[in-house]
Amino acid sequence: MTTISAYAAKSEDGKMAPHEIKRRALGEHDVQIDIQFCGVCHSDLHAVNNDWGNSNYPLVPGHEMIGEVSAVGDKVSNFKVGDTVGVGCMVDSCQTCEACDDHLEQHCLNGATMTYNSKLKDAADDEEDITQGGYSKQVVVNDKFVLKVPKNLDKAAAAPLLCAGITTYSPLHQHGVKEGMTVGVIGLGGLGHMGIKFASAMGAHVVMITTSKEKAEDAKKLGADDVLVTKNEDSMKKWQGKFDFLLNTIPVGHDVNPYLSLLKYNSTMCFVGAIEPLEAVNGATMIGGRKSLAGSLIGGIKETQEMLDFCGEHNVISEIEKIDMKDINDAFERMKSNDVRYRFVIDMQSL
Ligand code: NAP
Ligand code: ZN
């Protein structure tokens, strides 16, 4: 067991402060990682504020980790000391159920163990019984949940790939986004900006759908071919029925009907953002246009590795603002007021 420094929220006021946590002694399939960078996801903010009603305190968030392997267990063969690796939203699953067999560990029928705020049924004596995340110096993870990070990618800017990256890559990939399709990405934040980059790398005509007129120029630089500002009614009319696929990253419940009317017949809008109730959907729009609503949760480990390899090949990384650990409370405030361009990444040396 090792005691390490971290930053935790102690209650649902969400204020982050220094804290110490225990990491288990290295098991034979474990990889010990010295965390160098950790991205700040809107889910971290939801979790520290107990927005989903399931937060356990003290809570150490962080599921976009990049670091260097500092030790490996006896039976680990695919990682060695010094490797640059990543850890995302999951750290374990049963590995025996149908979902795990299908490489969809996030849907493990026995419950995947998430990187933080997951209760462990069989915690070792020397570890916490609730998982604690990457706003910390070090982590110990089963080798099946450790990812290889292509060497050509900047480490800090690659950290957000571990959640924002896979969460947008997976639905675009699963819904067959390709050249010739018009794809709308709704909400230009951490997830949305990765959505633009991936949809554009997959060859689609990409439209950024935003509430913020002032983000238009950035959206184009990120790879959007067009920008639709939702507050402009004429633009909303112009784009009605034009989209083959919509990726919706809005972080709160909202009226989905104006977005549904943007879809072509026989097309899908996939939610990744609002993990909460949505306003009523008009059945007439759905039935009349044979439209579908879908959802998507991160991605399995195999697909996450594929996404990282795709990023290595296409040089896809996140646009980041590096911060020190002590500035996390300001970063959360800025995230709340939609002032992030487009992902905060904590430099863990500052802890
Ligand atoms: P973020 O960086 O805060 O970006 C969210 C963006 O949504 C904002 O930049 C804003 O873009 C838009 N927005 C915010 N409030 C809005 C509102 N009331 N109405 C319309 N648009 C609004 O957040 P993020 O890190 O990308 O995360 C987005 C959501 O995804 C969070 O709820 C997070 O918990 C969730 N998430 C889900 C998964 C998954 O597996 N499904 C994984 C990670 C995160 P504009 O200024 O362009 O309008
Ligand atoms: Zn996340």
Side-chain angles (χ1 to χ4, degrees):
M1 187 262 286
T2 327
T3 302
I4 57 155
S5 321
Y7 251 59
K10 310 282 170 77
S11 71
E12 60 183 68
D13 72 7
K15 281 273 158 292
M16 302 292 296
H19 181 62
E20 285 194 336
I21 55 172
K22 293 182 284 179
R23 295 293 191 197
R24 64 173 181 255
L26 205 62
E28 48 189 20
H29 285 289
D30 281 339
V31 178
Q32 176 184 290
I33 303 158
D34 292 345
I35 304 168
Q36 293 166 319
F37 297 101
C38 187
V40 179
C41 179
H42 204 116
S43 299
D44 299 345
L45 181 58
H46 284 307
V48 301
N49 289 321
N50 197 21
D51 287 346
W52 298 321
N54 64 351
S55 297
N56 296 284
Y57 299 96
L59 186 150
V60 178
H63 55 207
E64 294 183 338
M65 289 170 238
I66 296 269
E68 198 176 286
V69 173
S70 50
V72 293
D74 289 344
K75 294 205 171 143
V76 174
S77 56
N78 45 347
F79 298 101
K80 58 180 193 312
V81 171
D83 284 353
T84 296
V85 294
V87 177
C89 301
M90 295 178 283
V91 288
D92 211 352
S93 72
C94 81
Q95 302 289 316
T96 58
C97 73
E98 197 186 335
C100 288
D101 282 350
D102 282 343
H103 302 287
L104 295 169
E105 300 87 352
Q106 73 275 34
H107 301 298
C108 173
L109 300 179
N110 294 302
T113 304
M114 306 315 280
T115 302
Y116 60 82
N117 196 39
S118 244
K119 278 214 166 100
L120 296 173
K121 285 177 220 123
D122 45 7
D125 291 342
D126 63 348
E127 74 182 320
E128 314 251 337
D129 55 4
I130 290 167
T131 56
Q132 300 287 10
Y135 295 7
S136 60
K137 278 287 192 197
Q138 200 179 70
V139 68
V140 174
V141 181
N142 180 291
D143 59 353
K144 286 203 169 61
F145 289 80
V146 180
L147 295 138
K148 291 184 197 283
V149 179
K151 286 201 172 69
N152 59 317
L153 300 180
D154 177 80
K155 288 190 199 183
L161 299 176
L162 276 308
C163 173
I166 185 60
T167 301
T168 50
Y169 175 89
S170 179
L172 294 167
H173 183 218
Q174 300 299 335
H175 289 271
V177 166
K178 57 177 193 292
E179 207 181 320
M181 287 174 78
T182 300
V183 170
V185 178
I186 307 171
L188 183 42
L191 265 52
H193 92 289
M194 292 312 306
I196 298 180
K197 289 189 178 207
F198 284 128
S200 165
M202 291 171 187
H205 182 91
V206 185
V207 183
M208 184 63 233
I209 302 174
T210 176
T211 60
S212 313
K213 195 165 76 185
E214 65 283 3
K215 290 183 186 170
E217 206 176 303
D218 282 0
K220 294 246 168 108
K221 277 192 208 140
L222 292 164
D225 300 289
D226 278 300
V227 176
L228 163 53
V229 179
T230 53
K231 286 171 185 160
N232 182 328
E233 276 179 34
D234 290 341
S235 299
M236 285 297 277
K237 263 195 207 129
K238 180 184 141 197
W239 283 99
Q240 264 190 23
K242 296 284 194 300
F243 288 90
D244 296 291
F245 183 70
L246 289 172
L247 181 65
N248 184 331
T249 79
I250 298 174
V252 289
H254 56 278
D255 182 4
V256 302
N257 296 295
Y259 298 106
L260 273 177
S261 67
L262 299 174
L263 282 177
K264 248 184 221 169
Y265 66 92
N266 212 23
S267 299
T268 300
M269 172 157 71
C270 182
F271 292 101
V272 289
I275 309 175
E276 56 187 53
L278 295 156
E279 285 178 37
V281 173
N282 186 340
T285 319
M286 300 290 298
I287 295 168
R290 198 161 90 176
K291 295 178 182 179
S292 302
L293 285 178
S296 190
L297 176 68
I298 47 174
I301 293 298
K302 183 168 175 273
E303 195 181 21
T304 306
Q305 188 61 61
E306 282 164 19
M307 178 273 310
L308 286 167
D309 298 342
F310 179 94
C311 290
E313 229 172 86
H314 296 262
N315 211 14
V316 175
I317 45 169
S318 187
E319 305 301 312
I320 62 164
E321 178 176 338
K322 253 188 243 173
I323 60 167
D324 286 349
M325 190 68 257
K326 66 175 172 39
D327 297 324
I328 186 63
N329 289 308
D330 291 338
F332 277 156
E333 283 308 316
R334 284 183 52 198
M335 187 176 259
K336 266 187 222 165
S337 56
N338 196 1
D339 174 25
V340 45
R341 301 284 189 277
Y342 282 92
R343 199 57 139 189
F344 294 116
V345 171
I346 307 162
D347 181 346
M348 278 306 156
Q349 270 187 349
S350 65
L351 175 60

